[in-house]
Amino acid sequence: MKSLETIERGAVDAAAAAPMLSQVEQWAAVNSGSRNLAGLGRMAGLLADAFAALPGTVTLVDPAPVDAVAADGRIGAVAHGRHLHLRVRPDAPVQMLFTGHMDTVFGADHPFQSITPMADGTINGPGLADMKGGIAVMLAALRAVETAPERDRLGYEVVINSDEEVGSPSSAALIAAAAAGKAAAFTYEPALPDGTLAGARSGSGNFSLIVTGKSAHAGRNPADGRNALVAAADLAVRLKALTSATLSVNPARIDGGGPNNVVPDHAVLRVNFRPATPEAEADAAAALDSLVVTVAAEHQVAIHRHGGFGRPPKPLDPPAERLFALVRDCGAALGIPVAWRATGGVCDGNNIAACGIPVVDTMGVRGGAIHSGEEYLIPESLPERAMLSALAILRIARGGRP
């Protein structure tokens, strides 16, 4: 760290000294699966208490209304937890956005609930890497920056949502509003175990296609029926055939059907699209519309489309490349190698980039096996990543833009 100025050295030392590990273990002991409203409420309270150490006022924002398609085809409201929002020095000349999520993929009834130290020095536990460790890194870095004179040049918003793991449907508008006018953004998803960051990202779209046919007796008059299950299966096969080098299509589930002696009049097809480019997204949307019309006509059924592309593709444009370069240079000053690569995964960084704001969205801890019972955190990455964030934030505050 010989290239650091005195103020920078003080800030990164403060970030590294924060008691992050005990904080993360406390948070990970709370089940905050995306549909566990009680657990999310408890987690939001813990985070509100922790982020109250920063200037500004912490608020817990009610989720925007969201509906979804049930297995029987009915469309109804889906409840989500509240989102944490903090705004600090809105009139400062340099404005940044920091985002994270409090939800995990592990529901209240999931068997993966405990924290276990491993023989290799890692820690196994639900949400340790994705992303309660990242939230601790964010808080430690911001608290450290608040000790430096550059804090007066820096204003920022923090959004920690409760629904990232299900696509951020009730927080997307909050994130977009917070992103407006920002010089840059950091999101605290986990880096890979070796510290590699996610660069360009594919987009994502989730759709539920409600197929309504006509029931009939499977033996007496099957020709009078219109088989919704067969139509859904046909549509699934045709959608899968759209897969290309720039588009992944995953028909994931069909709900519907009934007794063997009844032609099924109802089915719901669930499908996910991963377009690598905005052009691929537009082509996929047009192809979906066309295939819905074609399959509906050929099978003489009605098909209703529900859903959309909630995560736009995130290319690495010149502003994003400059921000990545700044983070890389900060890593070099700290002796931390920083590299990045494209990924098919998606996160709130996609939505922030779509607002025209450069974002590095894997500023969290190093860890791995996320979304599984083998998820782990590398503990030494907590101070490492907090130092990296603190230095990058200070340099952006000083320079105005990455």
Side-chain angles (χ1 to χ4, degrees):
M1 298 197 293
K2 293 180 180 179
S3 62
L4 297 186
E5 299 177 3
T6 301
I7 291 173
E8 292 177 336
R9 187 180 301 274
V12 300
D13 286 347
M20 288 174 278
L21 183 56
S22 60
Q23 195 170 51
V24 173
E25 289 176 335
Q26 178 193 17
W27 292 344
V30 177
N31 179 282
S32 56
S34 303
R35 300 301 183 209
N36 180 4
L37 298 185
L40 287 168
R42 184 179 171 197
M43 191 68 217
L46 291 172
L47 292 175
D49 290 343
F51 277 79
L54 297 170
T57 301
V58 175
T59 58
L60 295 177
V61 180
D62 288 337
V66 177
D67 57 28
V69 179
D72 63 3
R74 288 183 293 183
I75 300 173
V78 178
H80 292 82
R82 292 191 292 174
H83 316 299
L84 182 146
H85 182 230
L86 169 68
R87 191 165 191 179
V88 175
R89 291 184 292 271
D91 298 323
V94 180
Q95 295 289 322
M96 293 187 67
L97 172 64
F98 304 96
T99 70
H101 63 87
M102 67 183 80
D103 63 324
T104 74
V105 299
F106 307 106
D109 57 351
H110 196 282
F112 187 39
Q113 301 285 348
S114 60
I115 300 167
T116 305
M118 308 301 287
D120 62 0
T122 63
I123 305 175
N124 167 246
L128 286 175
D130 187 21
M131 62 174 294
K132 293 173 181 179
I135 296 173
V137 166
M138 179 206 304
L139 178 58
L142 290 174
R143 293 190 69 175
V145 168
E146 289 294 337
T147 69
E150 282 87 349
R151 67 180 178 273
D152 294 327
R153 287 184 47 78
L154 177 69
Y156 54 89
E157 292 187 58
V158 173
V159 176
I160 302 177
N161 58 357
S162 68
D163 62 347
E164 191 277 339
E165 295 291 8
V166 292
S168 306
S170 75
S171 61
L174 175 64
I175 292 170
K182 300 299 188 288
F186 288 152
T187 294
Y188 287 81
E189 295 289 350
L192 292 176
D194 66 358
T196 300
L197 309 178
R201 289 184 181 271
S202 296
S204 179
N206 290 301
F207 295 86
S208 296
L209 301 156
I210 306 168
V211 184
T212 303
K214 182 180 178 182
S215 61
H217 193 288
R220 179 174 293 183
N221 60 330
D224 292 339
R226 299 294 179 265
N227 195 310
L229 198 68
V230 170
D234 186 16
L235 181 56
V237 171
R238 297 191 196 206
L239 289 173
K240 180 61 179 176
L242 298 175
T243 299
S244 70
T246 57
L247 178 68
S248 172
V249 184
N250 182 45
R253 178 172 178 156
I254 296 178
D255 295 308
N260 283 359
N261 62 349
V262 177
V263 175
D265 64 353
H266 161 75
V268 179
L269 168 63
R270 321 282 184 169
V271 61
N272 173 256
F273 294 82
R274 297 290 174 117
T277 66
E279 295 76 17
E281 179 181 311
D283 290 345
L288 173 59
D289 287 343
S290 176
L291 285 174
V292 163
V293 171
T294 298
V295 170
E298 290 185 6
H299 290 268
Q300 299 179 27
V301 297
I303 303 178
H304 171 74
R305 190 185 84 172
H306 183 277
F309 287 93
R311 304 286 199 198
K314 191 194 84 170
L316 268 187
D317 58 13
E321 289 175 344
R322 289 193 293 271
L323 181 60
F324 272 90
L326 181 143
V327 172
R328 178 198 60 209
D329 292 346
C330 290
L334 295 166
I336 301 170
V338 173
W340 52 92
R341 73 182 193 198
T343 176
V346 296
C347 71
D348 288 327
N350 290 69
N351 301 68
I352 294 167
C355 297
I357 308 304
V359 56
V360 177
D361 54 31
T362 37
M363 293 295 287
V365 297
R366 290 187 289 122
I370 62 172
H371 293 197
S372 80
E374 287 72 50
E375 178 178 352
Y376 66 90
L377 160 71
I378 301 172
E380 57 265 31
S381 70
L382 287 162
E384 167 195 300
R385 279 356 216 188
M387 290 191 295
L388 181 64
S389 269
L391 183 57
I393 295 165
L394 279 177
R395 292 187 174 180
I396 292 171
R398 181 180 301 144
R401 286 194 174 272

